[in-house]
Amino acid sequence: MKIVEIATRRRVTIAMFTVAVLLFGTVSLSRLKINLLPDLTYPTLTVRTEYTGAAPVEIENLITKPVEEALGVVKNVNELRSVSRSGQSDVVLEFEWGTDMDYASLEVREKLDGLQLPLEVERPVILRFDPSLDPIMRFALRSREPDRSSPSQDDGSTAVPVAVVTEEPSIDENTLKYLRRFADEEIKKDLEASDGVAAVKVSGGLEDE
């Protein structure tokens, strides 16, 4: 009852206190910073292993499964998933929130050092997952298609519409080699020199042997 008595007897004081609280709240809300992509460190590690020229089935049997078996005993791992692509294996480890990621990286590296992989396989790389490093832009290169427009008829005769089915022309090897060489030597260098670009990766086409 004391609070009710004070509120009824000192109505001006309570009103001023309420206005002050609302005023400070409005000022604080107007100066509150909003970040659409806050700086978060997810407790996730990605073990990437590359094996050039290997099929996804070979990647799965020779790399992904042994890596999963070796890393399945790491402490504080909540989930372990993998993706086997042509020439590349990604094993993703999700840890519990609050895990010391530096210590977790050391433990993962120790497990990988004792793993026996084929000699042709490159050394596994441990990547820290960061949302700001996700690829947000992709470019595709393609050669110009030849003009397929049919010649016009000006002899005064009536043209009969005919459905013509043509086979999509395949790109020769020289064109694929040129596109890959142009992407590596010209486009990649220009993009890497641009502000805000962290890394540029080129894939596809044919590489010169």
Side-chain angles (χ1 to χ4, degrees):
M1 295 298 292
K2 292 183 178 181
I3 298 178
V4 177
E5 293 177 358
I6 295 175
T8 54
R9 292 180 180 179
R10 303 182 179 274
R11 290 174 291 180
V12 178
T13 304
I14 297 299
M16 293 178 61
F17 179 76
T18 304
V19 172
V21 171
L22 293 177
L23 181 61
F24 281 113
T26 304
V27 174
S28 301
L29 182 61
S30 62
R31 296 184 178 181
L32 183 64
K33 295 182 179 180
I34 299 177
N35 194 353
L36 296 178
L37 292 175
D39 186 11
L40 295 177
T41 302
Y42 291 92
T44 306
L45 293 178
T46 301
V47 178
R48 175 165 296 177
T49 311
E50 295 187 357
Y51 187 6
T52 306
V57 177
E58 296 177 342
I59 296 293
E60 177 73 20
N61 295 329
L62 298 179
I63 299 178
T64 303
K65 289 184 178 180
V67 172
E68 287 180 344
E69 293 176 357
L71 301 182
V73 295
V74 177
K75 297 179 181 178
N76 299 327
V77 175
N78 274 340
E79 183 180 357
L80 190 147
R81 62 181 186 273
S82 62
V83 178
S84 298
R85 304 183 182 90
S86 178
Q88 186 181 88
S89 170
D90 287 343
V91 179
V92 182
L93 294 87
E94 293 187 4
F95 294 85
E96 297 178 356
W97 286 96
T99 303
D100 187 356
M101 298 308 297
D102 294 332
Y103 178 77
S105 300
L106 292 177
E107 189 175 0
V108 170
R109 196 176 301 277
E110 291 178 358
K111 299 296 182 182
L112 293 177
D113 290 339
L115 186 63
Q116 297 294 331
L117 296 176
L119 297 178
E120 298 82 1
V121 177
E122 297 185 7
R123 186 177 181 180
V125 179
I126 301 178
L127 305 176
R128 290 283 188 93
F129 179 79
D130 189 353
S132 63
L133 297 181
D134 285 345
I136 60 174
M137 186 175 295
R138 295 176 182 267
F139 293 98
L141 297 181
R142 57 179 300 180
S143 62
R144 292 186 177 181
E145 298 181 357
D147 189 8
R148 306 179 192 174
S149 59
S150 59
S152 58
Q153 298 180 357
D154 295 333
D155 54 358
S157 59
T158 303
V160 180
V162 179
V164 179
V165 179
T166 59
E167 185 179 0
E168 186 72 17
S170 59
I171 303 178
D172 56 354
E173 294 184 0
N174 293 331
T175 302
L176 294 176
K177 290 181 180 179
Y178 169 76
L179 291 177
R180 180 56 185 256
R181 192 182 310 113
F182 179 72
D184 286 330
E185 298 178 359
E186 300 292 338
I187 297 181
K188 182 179 180 180
K189 294 180 180 179
D190 294 340
L191 293 178
E192 288 178 341
S194 302
D195 296 336
V197 176
V200 179
K201 183 178 181 181
V202 180
S203 61
L206 293 178
E207 298 184 61
D208 295 329
E209 297 292 342

